[in-house]
């Protein structure tokens, strides 16, 4: 009803936008009923996405006098760990059983068959169960989609669940499916504000800055005029995914609509300083700020000092720190942590500890990140003994080690040390998690220690860490490189049995082993034939001489 009113009103007020709107909102075939579009799209018969305008129209913004885009509730569009979502609660009743069923139906050819199978399971549908299942299966879009469709049947899909499913689709580059879902949200009068920001973020994540920018323009079609908050969201999405040049160009081209200011430049600066860690470009942007009469603030200095710190530039880190204080900007803990890191990295551990003493004198309390800023470079420099001393000091300061603390040690410690830190993580209730075992498995496979890698693979189950596709890939590839082909094939088959789709790269790797083994057998047979022929020839020569 609301949508009909919206389209009629648009048709009369903006007739030139009416046809493009229909094409974008409802990119469907006339022969397909609207209620089955999403199911039809899953089969692969629907591949339509937003058409790309010219580059000039992408970089310049022209807004009509629609209602402004509300500024509230515009947090990170993919911050699904904030207090309003609760997607990652492992204690959700029936979740493990539901996940097992979803992994089974992932291979069903018919959606109706899959939904019927889930209905017959006897599991009671609720929003918490559906959202938790989608989140747990976010690396495999198909079973996640079946969870979403089943939840839709039982009216469990609210705006947050839809946004999560859109993020999953976007993460797997199923953008047509995501747009279909946004269209359905719009038809159901659900707010599409965050959904559009998620699409911007996912396009940027897929390195498709052009469509991220077009989605920003396309927000008008949903009566959401992009304001400065959405503008900053676009810049942030582009920068954090490495499209920093495009973000900077977009900001400068649209400076008449969105006047240049410190916050926008800080987003670009953060991209060069912390995403790309490119000192040359960071310095250039710093000069550009001066050119446009934009005054750096404490955040600007913090980003620059962080960049110099990460690249081991001690001199410029200290120089900017002094300049920051002269301009009466109060350094935050991020600045001090950066200084601690660069001093430790440049073998000035004593001076780094002195900074901690100065912090205490100023009434500031070093945090876990401060000590991590010493532990991390020490572990990177293969100095685990010195890192252990800092860890001991950290505990004596009544600061709790974090997952990052232990992960730094897991990168460099041996097998026994790995067991020790896994136990400490569990006792401290900071893991271990999937990332912990990614570090461990990569380390042992890189060191060509398949025995230790397999032991850790077994220990994952003891720590209740469920392997993802990435874990399986590391194990299969690592074992194959170490010539443990039988075990590699066994783990690959386990991966397929657990509902993961086949990996062409791993499959090819295992096939190469079969071909290699076949070639070796051929060579052995050929060698045996040659040896037998040579033996007969020698025997014949001996008999001829005897006669």
């Amino acid at each position: 009803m609301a949508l009909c009113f919206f389209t009629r009103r648009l048709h009369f007020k903006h007739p030139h936008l009416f046809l493009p709107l229909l094409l974008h909102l409802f990119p469907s075939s006339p022969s397909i009923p609207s209620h089955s579009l999403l199911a039809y799209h899953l089969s692969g018969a629907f591949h339509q996405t937003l058409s790309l305008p010219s580059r000039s129209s992408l970089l310049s913004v022209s807004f009509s006098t629609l209602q402004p885009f509300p500024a509230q509730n515009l947090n990170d569009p993919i911050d699904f760990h904030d207090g309003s979502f609760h997607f990652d609660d492992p204690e959700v009743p029936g979740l493990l059983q539901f996940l097992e069923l979803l992994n089974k139906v992932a291979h069903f050819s018919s959606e109706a068959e899959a939904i019927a199978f889930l209905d017959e399971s006897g599991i009671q549908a609720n929003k918490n169960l559906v959202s938790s299942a989608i989140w747990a299966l976010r690396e495999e879009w198909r079973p996640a989609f079946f969870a979403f469709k089943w939840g839709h049947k039982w009216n469990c899909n609210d705006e947050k669940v839809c946004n999560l499913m859109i993020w999953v689709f976007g993460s797997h580059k199923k953008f047509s499916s995501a747009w279909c879902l946004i269209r359905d949200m719009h038809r159901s009068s659900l707010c599409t504000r965050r959904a559009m920001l998620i699409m911007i973020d996912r396009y940027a994540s897929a390195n498709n800055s052009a469509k991220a920018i077009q989605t920003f323009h396309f927000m008008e079609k949903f009566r959401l005029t992009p304001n400065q908050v959405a503008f900053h969201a676009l810049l942030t999405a582009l920068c954090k995914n490495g499209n920093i040049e495009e973000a900077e160009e977009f900001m400068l081209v649209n400076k008449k609509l969105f006047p240049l200011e410190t916050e926008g430049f800080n987003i670009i600066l953060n991209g060069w300083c912390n995403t790309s860690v490119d000192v040359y470009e960071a310095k250039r942007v710093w000069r550009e700020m001066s050119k446009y009469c934009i005054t750096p603030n404490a955040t600007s200095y913090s980003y620059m000092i962080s960049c110099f710190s990460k690249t081991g530039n001690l001199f410029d880190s200290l120089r900017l720190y002094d300049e920051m204080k002269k301009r009466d900007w109060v350094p935050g803990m991020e600045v001090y942590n950066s200084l601690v890191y660069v001093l430790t990295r440049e073998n000035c551990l004593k001076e780094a500890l002195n900074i901690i003493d100065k912090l205490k004198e100023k009434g500031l309390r070093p945090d876990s990140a401060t000590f991590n800023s010493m532990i991390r470079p020490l572990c990177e420099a293969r100095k685990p003994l010195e890192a252990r001393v800092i860890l001991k000091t950290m505990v004596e300061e009544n600061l709790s080690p974090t997952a990052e603390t232990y992960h730094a040690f897991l990168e460099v410690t041996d097998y026994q040390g790995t067991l020790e830190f896994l136990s400490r993580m569990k006792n401290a209730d900071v893991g271990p998690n999937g990332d912990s075992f990614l570090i461990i498995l990569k380390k042992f496979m890189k060191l060509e220690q398949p025995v230790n890698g397999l032991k850790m693979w077994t220990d994952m189950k003891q720590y209740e860490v469920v392997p993802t596709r990435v874990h399986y890939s590391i194990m299969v590839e690592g074992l194959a490189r170490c010539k443990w082909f039988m075990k590699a094939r066994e783990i690959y088959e386990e991966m397929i049995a657990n509902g993961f789709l086949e990996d062409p790269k791993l499959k090819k790797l295992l096939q190469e082993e079969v071909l290699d083994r076949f070639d070796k057998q051929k060579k052995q047979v050929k060698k045996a034939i040659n040896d037998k022929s040579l033996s007969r020839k020698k025997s014949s020569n001996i008999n001829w001489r005897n006669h």
Side-chain angles (χ1 to χ4, degrees), residues 76 89 93 106 121 153 272 364:
D76 185 344
D89 183 5
S121 67
K153 178 180 179 180
W272 291 122
L364 297 174

Side-chain angles (χ1 to χ4, degrees), residues 441-454:
L441 297 176
K442 282 181 181 177
K443 174 183 66 178
F444 286 128
M445 289 307 171
K446 185 177 180 180
L447 293 173
E448 296 187 356
Q449 297 179 8
V451 174
N452 290 335
L454 288 169

Side-chain angles (χ1 to χ4, degrees), residues 356-371:
I356 293 178
D357 292 335
K358 289 180 181 179
L359 285 174
K360 295 176 182 177
E361 292 173 4
K362 293 180 179 181
L364 297 174
R365 187 171 186 269
D367 53 16
S368 297
T370 308
F371 284 90

Side-chain angles (χ1 to χ4, degrees), residues 35 78 113-114 164 247 276 291 322 335 365 389 461 474 503 530:
H35 68 272
I78 58 169
E113 183 184 357
L164 177 60
S276 180
K291 173 184 171 183
D322 290 335
V335 172
R365 187 171 186 269
V389 173
K461 297 177 182 178
I474 290 171
D503 188 318
N530 290 338

